[in-house]
Amino acid sequence: MNILGFNRVELMMSPDDIHAAVEQFNDLLGTSFHPPDLLSDGNVLSTTDWDNHIELYGPAHSDSPQWAMLAKKGRGGIGPLVWEVDDIDGARDHVLAKGYRIHFEYEGAGVRQIILDPDQFFGYLITFMQRTA
């Protein structure tokens, strides 16, 4: 597994905050967030400023699986810490060979990701991702 570098930190937002956060971050910090997109599963709102290594994301509605995570972490919660790798399949093999568990896998929007079990990483979601587009 070859880690290419730190890709981004994900800041968890409520559906009520994410649009205002886009405007405020862009205004104060000069970020280039676009209005959040509804991801393909219909449960998550997300927008990423790739140049500044920040993603704003959160549940799209109260039935979203992310709603429970938001309730647990509360406002200001930090989501996954993401490292970019050159080979996601090699990263998966490396993680499993070391005895770590994969909590979730995601593919879409030009990326493939594996998210490690937060119980093994002090409550943090550690993510490896590979760009596919």
Side-chain angles (χ1 to χ4, degrees), residues 39-88:
L39 295 187
S40 61
D41 68 359
N43 289 315
V44 177
L45 290 170
S46 174
T47 181
T48 303
D49 180 333
W50 295 106
D51 293 331
N52 287 293
H53 307 284
I54 303 171
E55 179 177 354
L56 306 178
Y57 85 105
H61 49 78
S62 61
D63 293 334
S64 167
Q66 270 69 31
W67 196 264
M69 188 183 312
L70 178 64
K72 180 180 176 183
K73 292 189 177 214
R75 195 169 193 213
I78 294 177
L81 304 171
V82 183
W83 280 267
E84 190 165 351
V85 297
D86 63 346
D87 176 14
I88 198 71

Side-chain angles (χ1 to χ4, degrees), residues 4 18 41 49 56 61 75-76 79 96 99 101 118 129 132:
L4 302 175
I18 194 167
D41 68 359
D49 180 333
L56 306 178
H61 49 78
R75 195 169 193 213
L96 295 174
R101 294 182 299 270
M129 67 151 286
T132 58

